[in-house]
Every structure is written in structure tokens, then in C-alpha cells.
Amino acid sequence: FTAGDSGFLQQERGNRPCTIVISGSCNSFAIGQFIALAEHRALVKAWLYDCDPFAGTKDTSASRERMMNAKASLDQMYRADPNDPRQNLDAPHPLATNSMLQHYANRMQQKYQI
């Protein structure tokens, strides 16, 4: 917006930022890059506006409890026998969370050779 001759604000053409994403394929790597770009933009905006995007979130006690449950599950998966098919039958987490935790537990087992 600029001040016109009469003193009123007038909308000018141009100056409309946009983001164009061009990708050769729509695979998991490209989607991951797109999600990372969106998260980066959100954090840069928070930094520019000098605000904490995580402050004032409601339900912090429930979030803390979920985090502690995930940590306990990760510890349990880390200490479990990877060849035991009975493990994780009563998983308290959604499938995606459980799969991610199992992946990290397997990586930790490989790294520390339990």
C-alpha cells in the first residue's frame, strides 16, 4: 500500500511474495524437503517477529506425559530382544510413532551392540 495523491492508501501491483516449488518427482525425499521448508519458514517468521512459537501452548502436562511415555517405550524397545516377535504387541502409541521409536531403538542397538 502507498499513499496516493488524495492521501488515501492505494494498493500497488507487484510486491506479492510467493514460493514456487518445482520437483522432478513426488517421492518421500521431495515431500520431506517440502516439509522441512515449511518448518524453516515458520521458525524464521517466529525469529523475525521475535516470538516463541512454543510459548503459551495449552496442555503442556499432557504433552510432557506423552513425551515421557515415548521415552519409556524407547527404553523398553532398546532393551528388548530384536528377534522376539511378541514385543510391541501392546504398544501404547499410534503405529507411526511406534515404527519411529522401533527404528531408533534398532539404530541404538546397532550402534552400541547390545
Side-chain angles (χ1 to χ4, degrees):
F1 291 100
T2 60
D5 295 334
S6 60
F8 293 105
L9 292 179
Q10 297 175 342
Q11 186 174 4
E12 296 291 329
R13 291 179 163 244
N15 226 7
R16 298 181 185 153
C18 67
T19 302
I20 298 174
V21 178
I22 299 173
S23 178
S25 63
C26 186
N27 56 16
S28 59
F29 184 75
I31 299 298
Q33 287 181 319
F34 182 66
I35 291 170
L37 173 66
E39 289 175 352
H40 175 72
R41 287 184 63 182
L43 288 175
V44 168
K45 282 182 184 179
W47 178 73
L48 287 174
Y49 293 136
D50 195 26
C51 68
D52 183 6
F54 305 108
T57 57
K58 298 177 184 174
D59 207 34
T60 55
S61 62
S63 298
R64 187 176 303 118
E65 184 179 341
R66 284 193 302 270
M67 181 187 67
M68 296 305 287
N69 287 341
K71 184 175 186 254
S73 294
L74 181 62
D75 283 342
Q76 180 183 6
M77 290 176 188
Y78 172 66
R79 298 181 197 302
D81 180 15
N83 299 321
D84 185 7
R86 293 177 291 142
Q87 73 178 3
N88 300 330
L89 291 179
D90 56 342
H93 306 288
L95 179 62
T97 304
N98 212 26
S99 298
M100 180 187 67
L101 290 173
Q102 187 63 52
H103 171 75
Y104 284 118
N106 291 341
R107 296 277 309 258
M108 289 168 50
Q109 287 174 345
Q110 290 171 358
K111 183 175 180 179
Y112 300 114
Q113 297 294 322
I114 290 184

